[in-house]
Amino acid sequence: MAEPPRRPRTLNDARTEAEAAFKQVTKKVAEAPPKTTALPGVKQLVSLRIDQDVLEYFQEGGPGWQDRINAALRKAAGVR
């Protein structure tokens, strides 16, 4: 069985092959973003949904309820 005749290479084929080879060699591996260190005493504003009964529990103690929630979250996270 005879092989079909090969078609001559065109400039387009060479360009496509060169682009594919270039992309393979220059492919960047996605790096994880650098971990930022938390500055002590710096707070960040976030929106958080908390069950009403949990919010009332922390607010019963009066002012400073946000700090108490923060302390509870720190304890749960095992931070300081």
Side-chain angles (χ1 to χ4, degrees):
M1 191 171 221
E3 287 186 35
R6 297 181 105 187
R7 94 174 193 246
R9 290 177 61 154
T10 63
L11 179 59
N12 238 6
D13 292 338
R15 176 177 287 166
T16 302
E17 288 177 19
E19 286 175 354
F22 180 77
K23 283 181 183 177
Q24 252 182 350
V25 173
T26 60
K27 187 185 299 182
K28 289 186 179 179
V29 178
E31 296 179 14
K35 215 174 190 185
T36 57
T37 56
L39 299 174
V42 176
K43 307 276 184 178
Q44 184 171 352
L45 179 65
V46 295
S47 176
L48 182 66
R49 292 173 125 7
I50 300 174
D51 291 334
Q52 186 66 37
D53 58 335
V54 173
L55 183 59
E56 288 172 359
Y57 170 80
F58 284 99
Q59 288 179 335
E60 283 174 1
W65 60 271
Q66 292 168 322
D67 292 330
R68 289 190 291 278
I69 290 176
N70 192 46
L73 290 171
R74 278 185 172 283
K75 184 177 179 182
V79 181
R80 280 205 261 168

